[in-house]
Every structure is written in C-alpha cells, then in structure tokens.
Amino acid sequence: MGKKIKLADISTDPEEKITKEEAAKEMLGLTEKLAEIQNKLYAQKKYDVLIILQGMDASGKDSAVKHVFSGVNPAGCRVKSFKAPTEEERAHHFLWRVSKECPEKGMIQIFNRSQYEDILVPKINNLIDDQLVKARCAEINSFESGLVRDNTILMKFYLHISHEKQLEKLQIRKTDEYKRWKYQKEDIAAISKHDDFAKIYEYIFEHCAEAAPWNIIPADKKWYKNYLILSEIVQELEKYEIHYPKVDL
Amino acid sequence: MGKKIKLADISTDPEEKITKEEAAKEMLGLTEKLAEIQNKLYAQKKYDVLIILQGMDASGKDSAVKHVFSGVNPAGCRVKSFKAPTEEERAHHFLWRVSKECPEKGMIQIFNRSQYEDILVPKINNLIDDQLVKARCAEINSFESGLVRDNTILMKFYLHISHEKQLEKLQIRKTDEYKRWKYQKEDIAAISKHDDFAKIYEYIFEHCAEAAPWNIIPADKKWYKNYLILSEIVQELEKYEIHYPKVDL
C-alpha cells in the first residue's frame, strides 16, 4: 500500500530551491551525466529503464520529454505516447499495448501516459466500477513488480498542475500559432473535470505503489518541473551499479 | 539507374572545407535547426523522414546516430539498428522486418543498417547469386519509391572508411576499456573483406538509386563525417514545405 496523498495539500507552485538560471546551468551537467549513464546502461545490458509520465491535460508531459531527454542518444531511448486506444488495442486486454512497448535491456523507455489511462479514462466516464478499478490496480502492481524483478528500473512521475494553470495553458494553445495544432476540443471537457481526475489519481497513488513509488512533481512552472524530473532521474540511476562490462578478449 | 561509383576513386579523408572548431560550432546551429524542423514536421504530419546509414564495420554509424541526433526530441525520432536476422525474421521475406520499422507521418526514423544488409551479407557469403541480387535491388527500388510517393523524405548515406582506418579502429575497440564491449571476433573477418564489400556496395549504388541518391560520406575523420551528415540532412529538409499546420478553431 502506498501512502495516502491529498493532492490539494501539495503545492503546484512551491518556492523553488534554485533560481531559473541556476537550474538551466545544472541541467546541462545533469544531461551530460544522464548521457554517460545511458552509454554504460546500453553497453552493460543488465538493466533497462522505464519512466512513466502521468498528469492531467496540459500538465507538461510533452515538454518534459523534450527538455529532459533531448541530449540523450536516440539509439538508446524510445518514447511511446499512449493515445486513446485504437480498435485493435481495445480488442485486447488493457496491458497488451503497454507490455509490447516495455524496454529491452540497455534501453531507456519513456511512457507519455501509460497503463494508468485505462483506469483514469473509463473511471471518469463511469464505464468501470470501483471493483474493476481495484482489480486493475492489483494487476498493474503485479505487472510492474514483474518488470522490477527483471531488472527494470521503474520511475513514475505525476506532473501536478493547478486547474487555473491548466486553463491558462489551454488558452495559449488556442491563440499561439505554434501551439494551436495541439489544441483539441476534448481538452476543455477533460480539464473541467480536474477535481474528479485528482480523486482517481489519489486512489492510484495509494493502491499502485508496490513496485515503485510515485514522484509528485509541482508542474505550474515548466522550467522547475523539468529540472526536478531530470534531477530525480539522475539521482535514482546513480544508485545502481551501471558500468561498462568487463570483456575478456 | 544510379551513376557508376568507384569507391577507390573517392577519398575517405579529403581536405576538409572547414576546421574542426568551426564544424563543432556550426553543428550547434544545425542541431537547433534540425530540432526546429522536427517540431514542425511532428505538428504538420504531412511528411516523415527516413535516414538510412550504411557502411562497413567500424565506419562510424553508431557515432553518427549519437552525434547527429542527440539534441532532437526523442518523442519524434526513432532509431532501429538492424542486426543479424533473428529466427523469426529469417522466416519472413527480407523486407518484412524493415517495413515494420518505417516511420509514421511526423516522425524521423533512422536505420542503422537496413534492407541493404540482405544483399551485402548473403552475397559476401555466396548464399545468393547475381540473379537474386538483381531481383532484390529491383524490389528495394520499388519499395523505396512507394515510400517516397507516400511523402517519406528518404536519405541514404554510405559512410566511406578506408581499410587502414577500419583496422586501426578495431585495434582501439580491443584495447580501450570503454569500447571493448563493442568488439566482436566476427569484425575481424568482415573487415578483412573490405574490397569485396566495396564491390557489392558499388553495385548497389548503381542499381538502387531510383527513389533517392546515395550520399557518399568520407568517414576516416569522425568529426568531419558527422558534420557532413548533419549538414546534408538539414539542407535536404529545408527543401520541403515543413511548417506548423494552420488550424481553424
């Protein structure tokens, strides 16, 4: 059982531990570190890394992918964005499409949205009951634990954005010519359900933390969010013995 | 029919048009341009990009992936390294595994080795005759032309390295602790067949250029090779109308 988290009690925009300029500088160093760890990970092929990014619409998942992982070698890093399930995906068990995208040893895999969408979306639309939510959580725990047992380094991030900030970003998507292509009418509906989503997320944090804890990342400030994610990833990876393999010739 | 190319007549280490320091600086700007084009490509979803890297062992394909594409958003860029075919792959037609990895609209896909391996390797080992080589070339032409007709921007690079430089790099792989993991005994055998490979490549350049020409990149100097590839890619992409889509709300 994970700990109970009340999202309303956690600031989406806390006082920063670092200035924006310092963070930009530190990110350069952290990116280099991550690239170096990735080289070794790829050579060693003992571990793989799975990074799950969850968060409500406009919480900055795409920007996290771009700013945290530009700089790593794309040969060792894959991104999968899970969208509304296709017809083929819907015809399978909900973990089918996820399982196919899990990383092989040596790789970093990023999930932009993930298996948790199959709790969040049907639950918000009243398509599944509490019983099934509970069952899916148990199944996800078992699935993730299996990955971890098999040397997957699993990290889960929740990008925690306020309702006000969501609305503001939605407005920008509508008016900024470079962002308008991302705008979808469904976003409005989804964003209006901020508090309902928060409740489901809180349930997930409590019931889906067996294999790896959730990192709640304040996400109102884009630069701070990206800095926190990158720091957390490098710090976590440094705990493992990731090094070039010794090869006898 | 492509033009006849005699590899022996092309320098693997020509006089550079730029100093190493200038190239490093220019690459920063080019990387930014590539990242910007990628953003638009991803938003527009009109084109996709397929970049094929071919070259003999130790010609620097991995390093090209790393140094040319670190800096692009991994959400829009995938790398597929084709190895010796698996049992499943061998049980299919040679284009099966390649076709599965072709990009979707908006994406940049890099092939580290490609469909051409299924001419090179069986031919060098006398497992296929000239008739079948010719047939496979024709089939590849048709396959690639189909992609191009379907708005794939296809670029093909041959990393042109000298036999001497190959041997030197193989030696480094054996002794450098950071590179030893890449060393494989089969490399020695493959590298000893430099001239035989060159002949097959020359046949390919002539007979597989219907859909896109081959760029022969001098590859003895790593920095110059990577600089030339990146310049060529940006220059080519700038020829296309890649821009943010106009969206009416």
Side-chain angles (χ1 to χ4, degrees), chain A residues 39 43 66 78 174 249, chain B residues 39 66 78 174 181 183 249:
Chain A
N39 273 342
K66 181 172 174 180
R78 290 209 147 196
K174 255 176 103 165
L249 298 179
Chain B
N39 273 343
K66 182 173 175 178
R78 289 210 148 195
K174 255 176 104 166
W181 66 276
Y183 179 81
L249 297 180

Side-chain angles (χ1 to χ4, degrees), chain A residues 21-35 67 70-71 227 230 234:
Chain A
E21 290 67 34
E22 287 163 354
K25 228 170 109 182
E26 235 189 88
M27 279 186 84
L28 289 178
L30 286 166
T31 298
E32 262 178 53
K33 267 193 196 170
L34 180 59
H67 294 282
S70 288
Y227 164 75
L230 180 54
V234 172

Side-chain angles (χ1 to χ4, degrees), chain A residues 39-102:
Chain A
N39 273 342
K40 294 178 182 169
L41 184 87
Y42 191 82
Q44 186 183 25
K45 294 199 172 16
K46 177 175 176 185
Y47 298 101
D48 56 79
V49 177
L50 176 57
I51 293 166
I52 292 179
L53 299 176
Q54 283 286 158
M56 297 184 202
D57 280 353
S59 58
K61 299 181 291 299
D62 290 341
S63 126
V65 172
K66 181 172 174 180
H67 294 282
V68 173
F69 298 100
S70 288
V72 305
N73 184 343
C77 180
R78 290 209 147 196
V79 180
K80 173 66 186 175
S81 297
F82 290 99
K83 318 271 183 197
T86 63
E87 201 176 335
E88 189 188 20
E89 287 169 351
R90 275 185 283 115
H92 288 85
H93 183 69
F94 80 100
L95 289 177
W96 178 75
R97 65 176 188 162
V98 175
S99 168
K100 283 198 302 173
E101 301 290 338
C102 285

